[in-house]
Amino acid sequence: MNSYDFDFGGISCSYDASSIAILPVPYAGTVTYGQGTHEGPAAILNASQNVETYDFTTGKNLETLKLSTMQMIDCAGEPEEVMPRIETAVAQIVSDGKQPFMLGGEHSITGPAVRAVVKHFGESQIGVVQLDAHADLRQSYSGTIHSHASVMSRVREVAPAVQLGVRSCSIEEAKLIEKQKYIILSPEDSLKTDKLEKALETLPEKIYLTVDIDSIDPSIIPSTGTPEPGGYNWYEINKIIETIGRFKKVIGADLVELAPIEGTHAPDFTAAKLAFNILSIMSGEPTA
Ligand SMILES: [Mn+2]
């Protein structure tokens, strides 16, 4: 399953008329544990066809979103070849005045997307919020600086970041976090509104939001490369996303690391619905 015939959610604006461009990036080049993240974009696009566009709990009508779904990025080749393709595609979307929303793919794809938005909006204009089980702060991993386990090191080279939901890292990363005074909140701390607001206050108004699906508890999402117990439940992650949307302007986002398990479609559907909720805060769609 490496191709798709779908527009996200069955919503098909022309690219010109759209305000958000969905960019599927089926990259899995540096995966180190569970395989299958290259199938994530197609699984999310497929599941999104079955998500009700009216949300009874929030009163949001997602049919009002102006979405266009782009061709999948060609992810064949070494990371040094693939990363520039991603940066170029995201740069084009933002220079056309649209918000990029990437469907991964493994987490390393966030690095070039953040570089593109920082180049477009200017240094110190963009902050990054990451929802993730892992700190992803290794300088390099398995011989490449473009590893999923290094993505926040790449991000922090170009933009300040707040990392939420983190519950796993190496001792070297823990020392780095302490030395650099990086703002990294556990799932529990990030759910305390005062702590979350204080963390968000350190960032510029414009935010790139990167959501690793493993920030959610693996009992809900077993379909991910590196599952880590102790994550958010459905209501918790949405509460955090809502809070980010209330305090910041989300100018770009991604949802990464879904590795679909054949026959287990609830995680794919959950990811598609989460994508809808992220798109909803990006568009500023009012809550009833
Ligand atoms: Mn990650």
Side-chain angles (χ1 to χ4, degrees):
M1 188 170 58
N2 207 353
S3 65
Y4 64 100
D5 305 313
F6 305 121
D7 291 313
F8 186 88
I11 298 169
S12 49
C13 255
S14 68
Y15 178 73
D16 286 348
S18 67
S19 55
I20 300 174
I22 313 267
L23 186 60
V25 187
Y27 183 62
T30 79
V31 169
T32 43
Y33 185 29
Q35 305 294 316
T37 48
H38 62 288
E39 294 183 338
I44 294 171
L45 287 166
N46 192 4
S48 75
Q49 309 306 308
N50 297 293
V51 176
E52 290 278 16
T53 49
Y54 177 74
D55 187 325
F56 180 76
T57 64
T58 61
K60 288 174 179 171
N61 178 5
L62 299 167
E63 271 173 31
T64 60
L65 297 176
K66 293 189 174 67
L67 308 179
S68 60
T69 303
M70 320 275 294
Q71 283 300 307
M72 276 197 190
I73 294 274
D74 172 12
C75 290
E78 295 301 313
E80 290 72 18
E81 301 167 84
V82 179
M83 298 297 148
R85 277 180 221 143
I86 297 168
E87 184 171 337
T88 301
V90 172
Q92 185 64 53
I93 291 168
V94 287
S95 78
D96 289 336
K98 303 174 196 309
Q99 297 160 286
F101 182 80
M102 289 195 303
L103 296 175
E106 60 157 87
H107 210 159
S108 52
I109 66 173
T110 304
V114 169
R115 275 198 301 280
V117 297
V118 169
K119 276 183 193 164
H120 178 80
F121 290 99
E123 250 174 72
S124 75
Q125 296 300 305
I126 298 291
V128 174
V129 178
Q130 173 209 23
L131 273 64
D132 202 311
H134 311 93
D136 291 347
L137 278 169
R138 284 175 160 92
Q139 186 51 34
S140 69
Y141 195 61
S142 297
T144 175
I145 62 161
H146 299 294
S147 171
H148 61 95
S150 308
V151 64
M152 291 309 291
S153 291
R154 299 294 79 73
V155 163
R156 284 185 179 276
E157 286 165 359
V158 295
V162 161
Q163 302 179 242
L164 308 174
V166 175
R167 51 201 185 272
S168 170
C169 70
S170 65
I171 182 69
E172 290 77 19
E173 288 171 284
K175 284 179 182 163
L176 179 73
I177 290 162
E178 198 182 334
K179 183 168 168 239
Q180 300 291 344
K181 299 190 165 46
Y182 287 156
I183 300 174
I184 299 191
L185 302 183
S186 66
E188 199 182 1
D189 279 349
S190 63
L191 286 163
K192 292 174 182 147
T193 311
D194 55 332
K195 288 199 174 177
L196 178 57
E197 287 178 18
K198 212 169 143 223
L200 293 175
E201 272 171 20
T202 64
L203 295 178
E205 174 67 16
K206 293 192 184 77
I207 290 296
Y208 183 94
L209 173 64
T210 177
V211 179
D212 190 320
I213 201 79
D214 69 25
S215 56
I216 300 177
D217 193 81
S219 61
I220 302 169
I221 307 275
S223 321
T224 191
T226 319
E228 187 71 40
Y232 298 122
N233 69 30
W234 175 250
Y235 293 106
E236 289 168 341
I237 193 163
N238 283 298
K239 183 184 164 208
I240 288 184
I241 287 169
E242 284 290 332
T243 304
I244 293 166
R246 234 176 316 119
F247 280 83
K248 299 290 179 185
K249 171 90 188 115
V250 179
I251 53 88
D254 61 54
L255 178 59
V256 297
E257 294 285 349
L258 181 75
I261 298 169
E262 207 176 336
T264 303
H265 55 276
D268 304 353
F269 186 89
T270 304
K273 188 136 187 175
L274 185 66
F276 251 137
N277 290 353
I278 298 166
L279 289 163
S280 167
I281 64 151
M282 288 171 78
S283 71
E285 163 77 7
T287 306

